[in-house]
Amino acid sequence: MIQSLLPALYPLLKQSFQLDFGQIGLITLTFQVTASLLQPLVGIYTDKRPMPWSLAIGMGFTLSGLLLLSRATTFPMLLLAAALVGSGSSVFHPESSRIARMASGGRHGLAQSLFQVGGNLGSALGPLLAAYIVMPRGQGSVAWFAFAALTAMVILSRIGLWYREQIPAQRKAGARAVAAPRLPRKTIVATMVVLGLLIFSKYFYMASLSSYYTFYLMHKFGVTAQSAQVHLFVFLGAVALGTLAGGPIGDRIGRRYVIWFSILGVLPFTLVLPHANLAWTTVLTVIIGLILSSAFSAILVYAQELVPGRTGVIAGLFFGFAFGMGGLGAAALGQLADHIGIEAVYRICAYLPAIGLLAWFLPKLEKREAVAG
């Protein structure tokens, strides 16, 4: 929720600081890069030395960024606030993903979806709260959300206590997983490359909606900023529902099929979107959000089972790469929008899901998963 306040405030910040699309993309890039580059390093470290308190510490970084955002008076201060929020994310995600897997009872896809849907529901609430609380009252009202961050730090501290008690059993389970037979190294590397390209496709396209959807609606259909925020909330709500569905469906029918359908299956709808009226734009973005968002939990659990015993580093790598692609996408698309217009950007991005054809090359892991279970 707190992280989503940043892009939800873009129309307000654009007007207050006289920003262009390129500068807005730079804010997103700063957040996403700090959220992505540190995550694999945190994952590597915590695979060897668990950090039960990293969840609360990560939320502390986010709280600092939130307070700075509420008081920022210059563009560099906005960038620093974005960097602090991103750093909080990079500290939080590797260990929190491991804890979700530990608490799964063997239903790893469901647990990962529940974990991520919390983030997605918060992301959906962010624009709504921005529309009805921050927009009418101004930038300073962002500080009100510090109470949510403080509450989260208390809850995460309690979870850290539970995690600390589970560490000995977790280390034994990790040792058994590392000893388990795996696919050939070349196959693993090739598969990770394919998964990376699918993440690129998903998050580059998602960046076009999460960062610029409000501007697209305001420019093409002339809606108000507040109305555009409500449309963004509807889209992000669909993303949350799709995330919740992706994990358990993958547990039941196989993650490879979910990945295939989620990336490639959204292509017809993205191709139609740039030519739709306002009503159909709303419908299409809901469908796109539902389908496209179901991929990530399936991709993450698939990768963790491809490389067993490396839960933290895989979570850090994939969360980090996802955020990084989102940041690069926002920055690149912002620059592109300044030169060719926001509507042309959506026409180009419509073809990105075609990369989903690469899911054909993913090896089947279901038999191995059944043996492991």
Side-chain angles (χ1 to χ4, degrees):
M1 180 186 71
I2 294 169
Q3 289 176 183
S4 71
L5 284 175
L6 185 61
L9 288 173
Y10 284 168
L12 176 65
L13 298 176
K14 187 176 190 294
Q15 182 178 10
S16 300
F17 291 84
Q18 299 297 306
L19 306 178
D20 57 31
F21 284 122
Q23 288 174 306
I24 289 172
L26 188 58
I27 295 173
T28 303
L29 178 63
T30 301
F31 162 69
Q32 301 285 29
V33 166
T34 53
S36 62
L37 292 182
L38 294 177
Q39 286 205 45
L41 300 177
V42 173
I44 291 170
Y45 183 86
T46 55
D47 273 340
K48 298 177 180 179
R49 298 177 181 83
M51 297 173 59
W53 308 115
S54 64
L55 284 75
I57 292 170
M59 187 60 69
F61 277 103
T62 301
L63 172 61
S64 301
L66 178 73
L67 294 175
L68 181 59
L69 178 63
S70 70
R71 293 290 179 264
T73 55
T74 64
F75 182 64
M77 289 178 69
L78 291 177
L79 294 180
L80 179 57
L84 285 169
V85 175
S87 298
S89 178
S90 67
V91 174
F92 172 83
H93 277 105
E95 284 288 68
S96 58
S97 182
R98 187 199 313 279
I99 291 172
R101 189 175 178 86
M102 287 168 58
S104 69
R107 300 181 68 184
H108 300 145
L110 174 62
Q112 197 61 231
S113 284
L114 287 172
F115 165 57
Q116 289 173 221
V117 82
N120 287 336
L121 285 173
S123 296
L125 275 175
L128 204 61
L129 294 171
Y132 291 103
I133 296 178
V134 181
M135 291 291 188
R137 293 170 176 81
Q139 182 183 344
S141 62
V142 172
W144 294 2
F145 296 94
F147 293 106
L150 289 170
T151 303
M153 290 177 71
V154 173
I155 295 171
L156 292 172
S157 297
R158 295 295 300 273
I159 294 174
L161 288 172
W162 176 85
Y163 176 32
R164 187 174 63 179
E165 296 171 357
Q166 311 301 316
I167 288 174
Q170 176 70 11
R171 283 175 173 162
K172 292 179 181 178
R176 289 195 300 270
V178 171
R182 290 180 288 182
L183 294 170
R185 182 178 178 84
K186 288 184 178 179
T187 303
I188 292 174
V189 171
T191 303
M192 294 291 278
V193 170
V194 170
L195 292 174
L197 290 171
L198 295 176
I199 290 287
F200 161 79
S201 168
K202 168 182 163 56
Y203 278 90
F204 235 74
Y205 186 82
M206 290 290 280
S208 71
L209 287 171
S210 60
S211 292
Y212 301 108
Y213 185 39
T214 52
F215 297 111
Y216 175 76
L217 293 174
M218 292 162 65
H219 179 268
K220 185 172 183 178
F221 302 111
V223 302
T224 64
Q226 193 173 57
S227 176
Q229 295 287 7
V230 175
H231 280 82
L232 181 59
F233 163 74
V234 172
F235 164 71
L236 293 175
V239 170
L241 289 176
T243 301
L244 183 61
I249 292 174
D251 285 339
R252 182 174 294 272
I253 69 171
R255 292 174 238 293
R256 184 170 173 267
Y257 300 109
V258 173
I259 295 169
W260 174 274
F261 173 72
S262 177
I263 305 296
L264 187 61
V266 81
L267 181 61
F269 305 102
T270 62
L271 290 174
V272 173
L273 179 65
H275 311 286
N277 60 24
L278 179 59
W280 276 108
T281 294
T282 305
V283 172
L284 288 169
T285 51
V286 167
I287 296 172
I288 290 168
L290 285 169
I291 297 176
L292 195 57
S293 61
S294 64
F296 188 71
S297 58
I299 289 174
L300 182 58
V301 176
Y302 181 95
Q304 288 174 337
E305 288 164 351
L306 182 72
V307 189
R310 296 289 182 265
T311 302
V313 69
I314 292 297
L317 183 65
F318 275 83
F319 274 111
F321 188 66
F323 290 162
M325 286 301 98
L328 287 174
L333 295 176
Q335 293 289 343
L336 197 60
D338 283 333
H339 288 86
I340 66 174
I342 193 69
E343 293 183 42
V345 166
Y346 277 82
R347 288 194 293 270
I348 294 171
C349 289
Y351 294 91
L352 282 171
I355 296 175
L357 288 167
L358 293 173
W360 177 267
F361 297 102
L362 296 176
K364 295 181 179 179
L365 301 179
E366 280 68 36
K367 291 183 179 179
R368 292 175 178 268
E369 293 165 9
V371 172

